[in-house]
Amino acid sequence: MNTTNKKKRGRPSKKEMIQIHGKEEGVAKQQPSSLDEILGETLSIYTAKNSEEYRLQLAEMNATDLQSHAYKIGLVPTPDRKVLTDRLVQEFIKWNSKYGSNVVEGQVKSVDDLDAKARKILREGA
């Protein structure tokens, strides 16, 4: 019997184990390539406050500016101006409902207009 060339079976030694941690080794972290990436996203990507005002801004843009604006927002620009304008307005409405202000100017209630139960709830946080 030749027992000198047999490999050990079972658990490998600590020297043989390789730890996997999910990081890519030897790959440098990608550096930011633009000022926007360094500063991060701005608070608002739109300057308009409502869809009518935004639609007027889009009407003032030429085709190249409109396509550039669509690209900045994340849409694939199309050559058809009407389709692109409609898509941009839809995206504006989605964005405004998600991140925009829900308070409409002129309709803000004061604390005095609230009922007693609502005032009590608001005082709890103070």
Side-chain angles (χ1 to χ4, degrees):
M1 281 194 218
N2 193 358
T3 58
T4 57
N5 291 336
K6 285 187 177 178
K7 287 188 175 182
K8 277 186 170 179
R9 299 251 179 201
R11 190 176 291 176
S13 69
K14 288 185 180 180
K15 291 180 183 178
E16 294 175 8
M17 287 188 201
I18 299 173
Q19 183 176 2
I20 298 175
H21 49 71
K23 293 182 182 178
E24 292 184 36
E25 293 183 11
V27 177
K29 188 176 178 182
Q30 185 178 3
Q31 297 296 322
S33 61
S34 69
L35 187 59
D36 290 337
E37 290 178 13
I38 293 170
L39 297 177
E41 288 187 80
T42 59
L43 295 176
S44 175
I45 57 174
Y46 299 101
T47 57
K49 295 183 181 178
N50 57 32
S51 60
E52 292 83 21
E53 187 179 327
Y54 183 62
R55 198 175 281 276
L56 289 173
Q57 287 179 0
L58 294 177
E60 293 174 0
M61 293 182 187
N62 62 23
T64 306
D65 292 340
L66 199 62
Q67 289 178 350
S68 174
H69 179 65
Y71 181 74
K72 285 180 185 176
I73 289 176
L75 293 176
V76 177
T78 60
D80 187 6
R81 183 179 180 94
K82 183 174 177 355
V83 171
L84 185 57
T85 303
D86 290 342
R87 284 185 187 168
L88 286 169
V89 171
Q90 285 176 353
E91 285 297 316
F92 172 77
I93 292 170
K94 283 183 201 174
W95 184 90
N96 202 22
S97 66
K98 193 180 240 186
Y99 302 110
S101 174
N102 292 330
V103 178
V104 179
E105 293 179 19
Q107 296 181 356
V108 178
K109 290 185 174 183
S110 68
V111 177
D112 299 330
D113 295 340
L114 299 174
D115 61 341
K117 186 176 180 181
R119 276 190 248 147
K120 181 181 176 189
I121 292 171
L122 289 172
R123 271 191 236 121
E124 288 176 2

